[in-house]
């Protein structure tokens, strides 16, 4: 039997009838066609389905759609500002932090949520924050460098435009 | 030094914005109208005879549209190497591992398909089975395939030079046996596919493959559909590392069921199925005997290797050759003997994974070389410098080093890591180790015997001249090949990178053998360059006629046509262009330089659509012995690495603290991408050295088919790598480029082993170096010394 839920995804309100066994990742990907959220394992181990739920990064494969009733959710599609890229997205592009790209949306969302809590982290803190997001391609180094480059107090290399202020602005809808 | 505008830079990848925003489309993101969902029925037993399959209940389940078994698929045998076609699409006489494919179902949704699977009744007669190499080769062991006695599916015996004579000249000979564990590719995107058979009899398969070409051929052979009626399209692929090269049963089952229903059929592996079907690294046992002279000269090597291959051959024929043929390099070694045996077991099949066949041999030997250096009282760096090959050398098994920056790599990591200040001077529990690596830049021969081109590329110039479009069937799977080819095209034609579009991974775009054996930069890169030269020649040819200027007096740079001696009046051509674009903004006018855009338009008006064509296959590669096809390559990459590790002497936990890696990629088309391949390779090597092991229970079932219990490196396990790019300018590489994607993994495991020895005084001859294994070894050592 389906249950009616109300939630906000990327700032847009939805009223949806969902099966009790439907996971949030399947709802996003297959019902709402927000396929930027990736599914790598379905059991909460790889982090590629990370979305921000009420301000916190979660593995959306471990959340039932019904549990998201009343929640505000940010997916990778909602992170991008109307023009250009979010500073983290731009940094991932510029620093070569993306190879196959399958972990990238989850990685960027984990990093964005983390930087809001800790805008000027140490390298070790970044590594800890991203340790739930597996990447098989990059060896993580360029990902960590990308996150560092948008941290407060970091000089930019000239290509990743924004500094901390823009970073917060671009994040205002989450 | 040649000055380049595009290649050798750090241009951001063309696909990065799509991937950063989640708009890049992977296979599971695609949905077609009227699509069915498929699922596969697996064998629950490691070895059993099939007496009867009853699909009637499944067929009657509402929503089920197709149920197929070997009766529908036929019994055409396929595999990877034509020398060992030992699979059929579905099992018919017996099942050979837990997970072997017995039947498939397509239904209106996945839940219905899964329910239908549970309604298929298979009568099995259980057979005795073999799970380890030792069991499998024992006299009287049950046979996985009846025709292969003692379950030895393939063996290789090579001798180059005279090993016994070489050994007789040695002052020191030692023998060591080394083993790894079966590995999984652990790419983050599980394989998936969508087959679509249309009313006119054309089959389109979208698949997360590394080789659209091989998939196309295998489907054509197995399902009896002409190659020309099959199109294979690779969307974005979430990593491959080897296991996604070969065609898999899921792809063929989806095609078969789409042909039967006339509807698109989507299928995808669960993570558990990735472990069952994805054919990653074998388990190897290497027994190596190496002889050296007092001065450190390596005289002879005997390499005996057993590979545990699982139930089918897959890539294993190539694997077994690679485990021997690539070991001697990068050293000058006159005498080498190799005996390799690939053993069938009742476990999932193994295949190719990054550093195909060579990774474990390399780990075993580079650790042994360190042992020999120690016994000789030589620095490991010196031993390697003394024996390494140089550009121009030919190995005893006929591998030709047109370029080899081995010395540069060794010296770079020695100096870059502070080796001399650290080696032998670190406290107990801390260690430093080094190793070299060596790998092919592309397999010199295709998997099937053929004179086929390895890559064909075409470049279409937009009729308006503004952009060129590179078409290639090569496979961008995350390594950055699309960007590399676009950069090669831009540099060669002389236009900015943003004037180049690339479409890849589609069998309609040409022939390309795909992303394996670290081949694409050299092979597809060559074909791209040739196509770009053709575009340039055609366009400048038209200009030469129109302007009456010698073609050699012109050049194109940054999108501008350069007239070397000036004084050329292109006003007439410009007027034509402007006339065709009345009302358009931003046109070049007056005396402004003549643009590529204008030139390309003029060329189109003269000749129709300008299409440049390029192709590549290697020339004569040498080596006439049986098996010479595996290991010969147009070029060879090499590398050196220094690792610093600390070992907790109480718990056995190893922390890798620093890695310094130098790789000779010939010439970096994209410097950031080269570093990315190095860093990624090192993290895979670190995982294989420290954690990775696919485990089985005593019934042949995978115990850890998930990414929680099969551990790969996380951001906390990987240290920062100092990547040093060495450029030896390969004469046969496009712009001098050769490989980095696979070879870069080679030195990591042995460098870790050597660092752990330096830290603990213990040589480990079995991977992975889990805290438990290290703890037990530390305890044993302590007991001995007490």
């Amino acid at each position: 039997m389906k249950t009616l839920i109300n939630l906000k995804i990327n700032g847009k309100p939805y009223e949806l009838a969902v099966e009790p066994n439907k996971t949030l990742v399947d709802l996003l990907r297959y019902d709402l066609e927000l396929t930027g959220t990736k599914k790598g394992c379905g059991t909460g181990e790889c982090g590629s389905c990370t979305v921000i739920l009420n301000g916190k990064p979660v593995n959306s494969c471990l959340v039932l759609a019904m549990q998201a009733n009343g929640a505000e959710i940010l997916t990778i599609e909602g992170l991008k500002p109307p023009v250009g890229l979010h500073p983290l997205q731009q940094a991932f592009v510029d620093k070569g932090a993306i190879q196959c790209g399958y972990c990238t949306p989850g990685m960027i969302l984990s990093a964005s949520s983390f930087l809001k809590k800790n805008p000027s982290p140490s390298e070790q803190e970044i590594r800890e924050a991203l340790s739930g997001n597996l990447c098989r391609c990059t060896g993580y180094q360029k990902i960590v460098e990308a996150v560092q480059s948008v941290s407060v107090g970091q000089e930019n290399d000239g290509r990743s435009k924004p500094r901390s202020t823009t970073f917060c602005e671009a994040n205002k809808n989450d | 030094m040649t000055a380049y505008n595009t290649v050798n830079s750090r241009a951001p990848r063309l696909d990065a914005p799509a991937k950063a925003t989640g708009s890049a489309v992977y296979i599971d993101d695609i949905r077609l109208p009227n699509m069915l969902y498929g699922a596969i029925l697996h064998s629950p037993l490691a070895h059993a005879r099939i007496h009867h399959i009853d699909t009637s209940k499944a067929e009657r389940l509402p929503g089920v549209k197709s149920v197929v078994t070997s009766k529908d698929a036929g019994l055409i045998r396929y595999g990877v190497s034509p020398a060992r076609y030992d699979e059929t699409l579905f099992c018919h006489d017996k099942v050979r591992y837990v997970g072997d494919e017995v039947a498939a179902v397509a239904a209106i949704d996945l839940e219905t398909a899964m329910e239908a699977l549970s309604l298929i009744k298979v009568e099995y007669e259980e057979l005795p089975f073999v799970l380890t190499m030792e069991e499998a080769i024992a006299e009287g062991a049950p046979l996985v395939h009846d025709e292969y006695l003692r379950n030895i599916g393939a063996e290789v015996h090579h001798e180059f030079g005279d090993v016994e004579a070489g050994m007789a000249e040695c002052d020191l000979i030692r023998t060591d046996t080394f083993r790894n564990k079966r590995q999984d590719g652990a790419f983050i995107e599980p394989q998936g596919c969508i087959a679509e058979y249309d009313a006119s009899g054309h089959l389109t398969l979208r698949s997360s493959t590394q080789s659209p070409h091989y998939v196309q051929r295998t489907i054509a052979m197995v399902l009896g559909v002409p190659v020309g009626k099959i199109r294979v399209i690779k969307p974005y692929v979430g990593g491959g590392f080897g296991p996604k090269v070969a065609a898999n049963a899921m792809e063929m089952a989806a095609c078969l069921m789409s042909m039967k229903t006339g509807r698109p059929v989507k299928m995808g592996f669960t993570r558990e199925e990735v472990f069952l079907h994805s054919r990653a690294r074998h388990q190897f046992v290497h027994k190596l005997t190496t002889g050296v002279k007092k001065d450190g000269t390596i005289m002879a090597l005997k390499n005996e290797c057993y590979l545990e291959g699982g139930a089918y051959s897959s890539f294993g024929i190539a694997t077994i050759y690679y485990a021997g043929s690539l070991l001697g390099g990068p050293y000058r070694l006159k005498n080498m003997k190799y005996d390799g045996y690939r053993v069938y077991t009742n476990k999932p099949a193994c295949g190719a994974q990054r550093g195909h066949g060579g990774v474990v041999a390399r780990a075993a030997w580079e650790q042994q070389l360190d042992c020999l250096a120690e016994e000789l009282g030589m620095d490991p760096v010196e031993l390697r410098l003394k024996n390494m090959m140089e550009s121009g050398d030919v190995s005893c098994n006929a591998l030709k080093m047109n370029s080899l920056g081995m010395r540069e790599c060794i010296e770079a990591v020695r100096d870059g890591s502070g080796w001399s200040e650290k080696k032998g001077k670190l406290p107990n529990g801390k260690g430093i180790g080094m190793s070299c690596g060596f790998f092919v830049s592309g397999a010199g021969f295709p998997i099937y015997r053929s004179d086929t081109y390895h890559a064909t590329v075409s470049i279409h110039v937009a009729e308006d001249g503004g952009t060129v479009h590179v078409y290639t069937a090569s496979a961008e799977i995350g390594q950055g090949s699309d960007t590399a080819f676009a950069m090669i095209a831009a540099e060669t034609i002389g236009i900015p990178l943003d004037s180049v579009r690339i479409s890849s991974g589609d069998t309609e775009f040409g022939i390309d053998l795909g992303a394996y054996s670290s081949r694409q930069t050299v092979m597809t890169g060559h074909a791209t360059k040739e196509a770009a030269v053709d575009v340039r020649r055609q366009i400048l040819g038209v200009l030469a006629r129109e302007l009456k200027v010698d073609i050699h007096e012109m050049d194109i740079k940054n999108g501008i046509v350069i007239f070397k001696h000036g004084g050329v009046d292109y006003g007439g051509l410009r007027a034509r262009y402007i006339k065709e674009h009345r009302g358009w903004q931003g046109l070049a006018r007056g005396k402004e330089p003549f643009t590529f855009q204008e030139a390309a338009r003029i060329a189109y008006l003269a000749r129709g659509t300008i299409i440049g064509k390029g192709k590549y296959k290697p020339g004569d590669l040498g080596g006439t012995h049986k098996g010479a096809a595996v290991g010969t390559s147009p070029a060879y990459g090499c590398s050196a690495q220094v690792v610093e590790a600390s070992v907790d002497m109480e718990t056995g936990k190893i922390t890798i603290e620093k890695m310094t890696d130098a790789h000779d990629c010939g010439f970096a088309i994209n410097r950031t991408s080269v570093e990315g391949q190095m860093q990624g390779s090192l993290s895979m090597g670190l995982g294989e050295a420290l954690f990775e092991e696919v485990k089985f229970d005593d019934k042949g079932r995978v115990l850890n088919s998930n990414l929680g219990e099969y551990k790969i490196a996380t951001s906390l396990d990987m240290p920062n790598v100092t990547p040093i790019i060495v450029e030896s300018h390969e004469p046969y590489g496009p712009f001098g480029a050769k490989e980095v994607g696979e070879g870069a993994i080679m030195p990591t495991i042995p460098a870790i082993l050597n660092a752990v020895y330096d830290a603990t005084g213990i040589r480990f001859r079995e991977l992975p170096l889990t805290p438990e294994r290290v703890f037990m070894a530390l305890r044993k050592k302590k007991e001995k010394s007490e």
Side-chain angles (χ1 to χ4, degrees):
Chain A
M1 210 188 71
K2 289 189 176 181
T3 306
L4 221 52
I5 60 167
N6 284 280
L7 73 172
K8 227 183 217 182
I9 302 169
N10 301 330
K12 191 174 153 193
Y14 287 85
E15 186 179 57
L16 302 162
V18 299
E19 296 93 349
N21 64 347
K22 168 93 61 184
T23 57
L24 180 57
V25 65
D26 286 356
L27 177 80
L28 293 169
R29 286 182 53 76
Y30 305 128
D31 296 356
L32 304 178
E33 301 200 331
L34 293 166
T35 53
T37 303
K38 299 301 174 200
K39 197 173 166 184
C41 67
T43 49
E45 283 148 1
C46 72
S48 61
C49 67
T50 303
V51 300
I52 310 295
L53 186 141
N54 293 334
K56 285 188 185 149
V58 296
N59 287 317
S60 59
C61 69
L62 294 186
V63 178
L64 290 171
M66 281 171 61
Q67 291 175 297
N69 193 11
E72 286 201 27
I73 289 161
L74 178 78
T75 72
I76 193 69
E77 289 89 349
L79 192 70
K80 186 187 172 310
V83 178
L85 298 177
H86 182 277
L88 260 173
Q89 292 173 321
Q90 188 65 50
F92 270 58
V93 171
D94 293 341
K95 296 287 179 189
I98 300 171
Q99 288 190 28
C100 87
Y102 211 71
C103 74
T104 305
M107 198 69 87
I108 287 176
L109 286 170
S110 283
S112 103
S113 160
F114 166 68
L115 283 178
K116 285 186 86 179
K117 271 197 319 204
N118 184 354
S120 47
S122 67
E123 183 197 323
Q124 182 62 19
E125 287 170 330
I126 295 172
R127 287 182 175 277
E128 280 164 19
L130 299 181
S131 63
N133 292 80
L134 296 178
C135 169
R136 189 61 151 170
C137 297
T138 65
Y140 302 100
Q141 189 164 337
K142 292 189 190 299
I143 291 174
V144 173
E145 286 167 6
V147 177
Q148 273 175 323
S149 76
V150 294
S151 303
V152 175
Q154 289 295 312
E155 286 306 316
N156 281 289
D157 65 3
R159 269 194 308 199
S160 38
K161 295 169 240 154
R163 302 282 290 268
S164 54
T165 46
T166 340
F167 175 76
C168 294
E169 256 170 40
N171 246 329
K172 63 179 178 253
N173 55 353
D174 69 353
Chain B
M1 272 302 278
T2 318
Y4 294 109
N5 290 305
T6 306
V7 295
N8 212 229
S9 73
R10 291 185 175 276
R13 291 171 57 127
L14 304 182
D15 55 2
K19 288 174 172 177
T21 54
S23 59
V25 174
Y26 300 77
I27 187 67
D28 193 49
D29 304 337
I30 302 171
R31 188 149 50 166
L32 299 179
N34 211 23
M35 190 168 84
L36 300 173
Y37 295 79
I40 287 177
L41 181 70
H42 300 127
S43 162
L45 301 168
H47 200 192
R49 201 161 297 289
I50 299 172
H51 283 304
H52 185 64
I53 303 173
D54 179 2
T55 58
S56 56
K57 269 193 187 160
E59 283 163 37
R60 285 200 298 271
L61 183 72
V64 171
K65 301 296 173 191
S66 179
V67 182
V68 289
T69 66
S70 63
K71 280 190 182 150
D72 310 274
L75 297 178
I76 304 273
R77 285 156 76 94
Y78 76 96
V80 173
S81 167
R84 284 296 179 289
Y85 281 166
D86 56 7
E87 299 184 64
T88 54
L89 173 46
F90 296 111
C91 301
H92 62 105
D93 52 352
K94 52 180 198 169
V95 290
R96 294 181 171 86
Y97 72 97
V98 175
D100 218 349
E101 296 95 346
V102 176
V105 170
I108 50 164
D109 55 36
L110 190 56
E111 290 71 23
T112 308
M114 299 303 287
E115 195 185 340
L117 291 185
S118 72
L119 297 175
I120 299 174
K121 294 288 166 252
V122 187
E123 266 179 53
Y124 292 109
E125 175 198 340
E126 287 194 52
L127 298 170
F129 51 84
V130 288
L131 297 180
T132 66
M133 271 187 265
E134 291 76 10
E135 286 168 19
I137 60 171
E139 285 296 340
L143 295 180
V144 180
H145 296 269
D146 291 342
E147 56 272 46
Y148 293 101
L149 295 180
R150 297 180 66 213
N151 291 304
I152 294 172
E155 52 188 289
V156 173
H157 303 283
H158 277 160
E159 181 164 0
F160 304 97
D162 184 339
V163 167
E164 287 313 315
M167 290 289 180
E169 288 182 62
C170 291
D171 299 303
L172 175 62
I173 297 172
R174 63 175 290 147
T175 300
D176 295 283
T177 301
F178 185 86
R179 68 171 64 210
N180 72 321
K181 295 295 154 52
R182 173 188 283 248
Q183 239 193 300
D184 185 76
F187 31 77
I188 309 299
E189 180 210 28
Q191 286 102 323
C193 67
I194 303 173
E196 187 186 8
Y197 187 70
D198 67 25
S200 59
H202 289 88
L203 182 61
T204 301
L205 178 75
R206 291 170 177 81
S207 180
S208 59
T209 180
Q210 293 179 234
S211 175
H213 176 74
Y214 286 133
V215 171
Q216 180 193 39
R217 276 182 62 100
T218 309
I219 291 169
M221 182 180 81
V222 173
L223 299 182
V225 180
V227 165
K229 288 189 183 294
I230 302 174
R231 177 181 186 182
V232 178
I233 301 171
K234 176 209 69 68
Y236 280 114
V237 168
F241 314 111
K244 289 182 182 172
V245 179
N248 61 50
M250 173 177 67
E251 291 165 324
M252 286 177 267
C255 289
L256 179 64
M257 293 193 290
S258 183
M259 288 165 70
K260 287 202 173 292
T261 59
R263 292 171 67 170
V265 175
K266 180 176 189 169
M267 297 180 80
F269 284 163
T270 60
R271 181 55 61 179
E272 189 185 0
E273 286 175 303
V274 172
F275 279 81
L276 292 178
H277 305 308
S278 89
R279 306 189 170 193
R281 177 118 49 235
H282 291 65
Q283 182 185 26
F284 300 78
V285 178
H286 279 277
K287 184 180 170 193
L288 300 179
T289 303
T290 305
V292 292
K293 285 190 160 182
K294 251 187 248 160
D295 67 356
T297 307
I298 306 171
M299 297 299 293
L301 164 66
K302 262 196 269 189
N303 173 9
E304 186 184 66
C305 175
Y306 285 84
L307 294 77
E308 191 260 299
Y312 299 102
S313 287
S314 183
F315 259 98
I317 302 292
T319 318
I320 187 175
Y321 278 109
Y322 275 131
S325 64
L326 291 184
L327 188 52
Y331 305 112
R332 281 191 185 125
L333 171 68
K334 288 191 192 121
N335 309 296
M336 181 165 80
K337 185 171 189 303
Y338 175 57
D339 297 289
Y341 306 86
R342 187 177 187 274
V343 180
Y344 285 124
T345 57
N346 292 110
K347 291 202 297 209
C350 297
Q353 186 163 327
R354 192 178 223 162
H356 190 186
V359 168
V360 182
R362 179 65 44 197
W365 202 36
E366 294 281 338
Q367 169 160 267
Q368 188 178 53
L369 291 179
D370 255 44
C371 298
L372 288 163
E374 188 180 24
E375 288 186 54
L376 292 171
M378 252 181 118
D379 186 297
V381 167
E382 291 309 313
L383 181 90
R384 288 170 172 89
L385 282 171
K386 182 168 184 61
N387 287 285
M388 75 196 178
M389 288 194 282
E390 292 178 335
S391 300
D393 282 346
V394 180
S395 76
C396 63
N397 55 336
L399 314 184
K400 273 202 297 222
M401 306 303 119
N402 308 311
S403 66
L404 198 75
M406 197 61 255
R407 173 181 296 282
E408 291 80 352
C409 288
I410 296 174
E411 290 177 350
V413 295
R414 179 193 64 195
D415 301 343
S417 66
W419 171 267
S420 311
E421 296 83 64
K422 291 173 184 166
K423 174 65 183 164
K425 295 167 192 151
L426 298 175
N428 192 29
K430 296 227 177 248
I432 187 166
M434 73 91 59
S435 172
C436 293
F438 178 74
F439 202 65
V440 296
S441 279
F445 297 85
I447 290 169
Y448 55 96
R449 287 194 179 200
S450 169
D451 292 326
T452 180
Y453 289 101
H454 292 217
T456 63
V457 169
S458 59
I459 300 180
H460 297 225
V461 183
E463 53 153 33
D464 210 49
T467 55
V468 306
H469 196 153
V470 179
Y471 288 92
T472 160
S474 62
E476 168 65 75
I477 58 168
Q479 78 283 53
S481 57
D482 276 2
T483 304
F485 303 142
M487 290 171 79
I488 287 173
E491 184 73 51
T492 307
I493 298 173
I495 55 178
L497 183 57
D498 66 6
S499 301
V500 181
R501 280 175 69 195
I502 180 159
S503 294
S504 66
D506 185 330
T507 50
E508 302 282 285
F509 298 162
I511 296 295
D512 200 290
L513 302 186
Y516 72 99
S517 76
S518 239
R519 59 174 290 285
Q520 289 193 155
T521 301
V522 166
M523 301 194 176
T524 316
H526 256 302
T528 305
K529 194 170 177 213
E530 189 177 291
V533 166
D534 190 20
V535 163
R536 192 185 155 87
R537 185 186 53 74
Q538 291 184 50
I539 290 172
L540 290 180
V542 171
L543 274 196
R545 280 194 296 280
E546 296 275 349
L547 295 170
K548 308 206 168 14
V549 179
D550 187 295
I551 194 166
H552 303 295
E553 301 294 308
M554 293 182 286
D555 195 1
I556 309 171
K557 276 211 160 85
N558 278 322
I560 299 295
V561 179
I562 315 256
F563 301 101
K564 290 179 188 166
H565 300 295
V568 175
D569 180 12
Y570 44 80
L573 298 184
R574 171 153 292 163
R576 280 170 75 188
Y577 191 88
I578 290 173
K579 208 159 110 188
E580 288 193 317
H581 294 84
R582 285 177 75 167
W584 294 43
Q585 298 291 308
L587 303 182
R589 290 179 191 277
K591 294 276 178 234
E592 286 181 74
F594 197 60
T595 64
F596 171 78
Q597 182 161 356
E598 291 168 290
R601 176 70 186 173
I602 298 301
Y604 157 73
L605 293 174
R607 300 184 53 145
T609 301
I610 302 292
I611 300 175
K613 293 199 319 186
K615 61 192 182 315
Y616 177 80
K617 62 177 155 187
D620 276 345
L621 294 174
T624 50
H625 54 280
K626 181 172 187 284
V630 188
T632 42
S633 171
Y636 296 88
C638 65
S639 50
Q641 197 172 125
V642 169
V643 165
E644 289 170 58
S646 70
V647 182
D648 185 321
M649 303 299 272
E650 297 302 318
T651 65
K653 186 179 182 338
I654 295 171
T655 306
I656 305 302
E657 300 197 328
K658 211 175 153 211
M659 302 171 107
T660 308
D661 188 64
H663 192 97
D664 171 19
C665 65
F667 173 83
I669 302 295
N670 184 314
R671 303 188 74 81
T672 306
S673 291
V674 169
E675 289 173 359
Q677 287 303 302
M678 292 163 72
Q679 291 161 343
S681 282
L682 268 55
S683 93
M684 189 175 276
L686 181 145
E688 185 168 1
L690 301 186
F691 335 109
E692 294 185 38
E693 174 177 4
V694 181
K695 294 178 178 170
F696 292 84
D697 70 6
D698 60 2
K699 299 267 197 295
R701 294 173 293 206
V702 182
L703 280 170
N704 57 343
S705 55
N706 58 72
L707 295 173
E709 292 165 287
Y710 181 88
K711 294 186 192 308
I712 65 171
T714 71
S715 51
L716 289 171
D717 302 310
M718 260 311 278
N720 281 324
V721 176
T722 306
I724 303 164
I725 298 174
V726 171
E727 296 179 308
S728 62
H729 300 277
E730 166 61 38
Y732 296 103
F735 295 100
K738 48 189 184 182
E739 76 90 31
V740 61
E742 294 192 61
I745 196 177
M746 287 293 172
T748 301
I749 300 171
I752 289 174
L753 287 164
N754 290 335
V756 168
Y757 172 72
D758 193 40
T760 62
I762 300 172
R763 286 288 177 195
F764 287 88
R765 293 187 175 82
E766 184 168 352
L767 295 176
L769 304 180
T770 56
E772 184 189 1
R773 181 166 284 121
V774 177
F775 173 81
M776 295 306 283
L778 286 168
R779 198 166 74 172
K780 207 166 137 193
K781 188 184 176 210
K782 209 170 158 191
E783 280 166 5
K784 247 189 188 167
S785 67
E786 273 165 7

